[in-house]
Amino acid sequence: MGEGINDYTQFCVDLRRHMWLAGVDQELRRLIWQIAVMGKYISAKIYESNRKLAGFKNIYGEEQLTLDRGADEILKNQLQYSGFVRDYASEEQDSVMRIGKGDEKFIVTADPLDGSSLVDTNLSIGTIIGIHKDSVFDEGRNTLVAALYITYGPLITMVYSAGKGTHEFVLNREGEYVLSEENIVLKDKGSIYSPGGMHKDWTPEHLQYIEFLENSGYKLRYSGGFVPDINQVLIKKGGLFTYPALKNSPRGKLRLLFELQPMSFIIEQAGGRATDGYRDILSVPVTELGQRSPVYIGSRFEVDKVKDYLKWDNFL
Ligand code: AFP
């Protein structure tokens, strides 16, 4: 039998069936599925923009929002009719927005289009989502019930965890998210590293740690997009992504609530770790929406190892 025929006759597990079989709570699985569908609308918007980040004209010649704002509008407008979301917090908004009646179960956080400045290069970009049950002003470990990200690359993929492992789906030609890898598990130690920030801005301790990785034979893999860079660590089953404290910005660059908490949840569910150098990312309380944090995230060995280099005194 030809391979092509085989592809179509294989039994495919779609996202909804997978979540049902995995015993994900009914409302949560409906919400995750709805967000995955929104990823299709966002990808259409990216396509329509013809690789321009700034406002663009659609086929009718109408001015459109910037891509990030457009993705944010899609999420906000769709989520308000989901029936499951009371509040929405986004990297594109200044405050948490009440979008439901108030008695819905979940709060959704979004980085609607992370890495959007890469859109003109045609590198992958992504959407990062956290789903919380209580106030987001807490430790992620207390509030997150699920997280997912969508990559818009040569393929559109969706990785989610609802606290029962980490799973990857690919959007097929029929518009279904089909399971491509279930229960992804990171090796204890990987062979790639993805270091954010500029060399000249790194602290001496961080520099020594990076030298340790280089001298140990780790290969450099950095695209400038958090979603594809983390996705690479996950799909290659190990390695490290870091955006450290910099000399002039001790809190680094990435946002705790919108970027780091969801990715840490997903990576921990795949057996990996995430730390700010001292505490697990999911144990760092969120006190303000735009809060940033240094991060070391990936397989166990690399994340634990950084603690040998950083000094607690520097942090206090
Ligand atoms: P943009 O969304 O502005 O492109 O920023 C992307 C990002 O927040 C994250 O996706 C990357 O990991 C990080 O910034 C890259 O930062 P550098 O440009 O400093 O390497």
Side-chain angles (χ1 to χ4, degrees):
M1 195 183 292
E3 247 182 38
I5 296 173
N6 220 358
D7 286 344
Y8 283 102
T9 53
Q10 264 176 10
F11 178 69
C12 294
V13 179
D14 76 9
L15 176 59
R16 278 178 293 183
R17 179 188 288 267
H18 183 267
M19 291 191 287
W20 180 72
L21 289 171
V24 177
D25 164 84
Q26 189 184 44
E27 292 189 13
L28 186 55
R29 64 179 196 251
R30 286 190 180 167
L31 177 57
I32 291 172
W33 183 75
Q34 287 178 5
I35 295 170
V37 171
M38 291 168 214
K40 297 192 215 177
Y41 305 153
I42 294 174
S43 85
K45 194 113 201 134
I46 297 167
Y47 194 79
E48 190 189 350
S49 78
N50 196 17
R51 297 192 287 150
K52 289 185 180 55
L53 173 61
F56 57 95
K57 289 201 166 104
N58 67 12
I59 52 168
Y60 308 106
E62 297 158 348
E63 280 295 333
Q64 299 291 291
L65 295 172
T66 62
L67 259 187
D68 317 60
R69 289 283 313 285
D72 186 50
E73 290 283 303
I74 290 172
L75 289 169
K76 176 167 62 69
N77 293 343
Q78 299 286 326
L79 286 171
Q80 68 185 341
Y81 298 112
S82 74
F84 309 121
V85 183
R86 62 176 183 279
D87 291 328
Y88 174 68
S90 153
E91 219 183 64
E92 298 297 315
Q93 310 281 347
D94 298 334
S95 55
V96 179
M97 299 174 71
R98 169 61 43 95
I99 60 169
K101 293 200 296 287
D103 56 358
E104 293 85 352
K105 223 171 175 175
F106 303 114
I107 303 172
V108 169
T109 67
D111 184 349
L113 210 52
D114 187 75
S116 56
S117 62
L118 295 174
V119 74
D120 54 350
T121 67
N122 203 28
L123 280 166
S124 296
I125 53 182
T127 296
I128 310 173
I129 300 286
I131 303 177
H132 299 250
K133 61 179 172 7
D134 295 314
S135 165
V136 293
F137 296 105
D138 196 344
E139 298 173 20
R141 212 175 284 297
N142 295 337
T143 67
L144 266 173
V145 291
L148 65 98
Y149 66 82
I150 300 168
T151 60
Y152 312 101
L155 294 174
I156 294 179
T157 65
M158 200 281 281
V159 170
Y160 92 92
S161 177
K164 296 169 190 287
T166 291
H167 319 286
E168 188 202 40
F169 295 76
V170 175
L171 189 65
N172 71 9
R173 277 176 288 184
E174 284 71 41
E176 293 287 343
Y177 282 97
V178 174
L179 181 64
S180 55
E181 197 164 355
E182 190 173 33
N183 288 318
I184 300 175
V185 179
L186 296 185
K187 288 179 287 200
D188 228 26
K189 190 170 186 281
S191 56
I192 56 174
Y193 73 113
S194 200
M198 286 201 275
H199 217 267
K200 69 176 178 56
D201 298 328
W202 290 347
T203 62
E205 294 82 9
H206 179 75
L207 183 58
Q208 276 173 17
Y209 170 65
I210 295 296
E211 282 169 357
F212 158 77
L213 295 177
E214 284 167 355
N215 294 335
S216 310
Y218 283 75
K219 285 188 186 162
L220 176 65
R221 293 285 184 270
Y222 189 76
S223 77
F226 188 41
V227 175
D229 286 338
I230 281 286
N231 191 55
Q232 181 161 215
V233 169
L234 188 73
I235 299 303
K236 297 291 186 192
K237 311 287 186 311
L240 177 93
F241 174 93
T242 171
Y243 209 110
L246 303 176
K247 284 179 198 155
N248 293 330
S249 54
R251 295 276 152 203
K253 177 177 183 188
L254 301 188
R255 315 248 177 196
L256 180 58
L257 184 60
F258 302 113
E259 293 165 300
L260 301 184
Q261 280 190 347
M263 289 305 198
S264 302
F265 188 87
I266 287 168
I267 290 289
E268 279 199 7
Q269 283 291 319
R273 299 196 177 177
T275 175
D276 64 2
Y278 307 94
R279 298 165 293 182
D280 290 349
I281 290 292
L282 293 180
S283 304
V284 180
V286 174
T287 53
E288 51 186 275
L289 278 187
Q291 189 172 335
R292 297 171 197 268
S293 169
V295 66
Y296 297 83
I297 177 169
S299 35
R300 188 200 60 78
F301 172 79
E302 292 83 341
V303 175
D304 283 353
K305 188 74 185 167
V306 74
K307 295 179 186 158
D308 295 348
Y309 289 85
L310 302 188
K311 298 191 183 73
W312 181 244
D313 292 355
N314 292 355
F315 187 69
L316 296 176

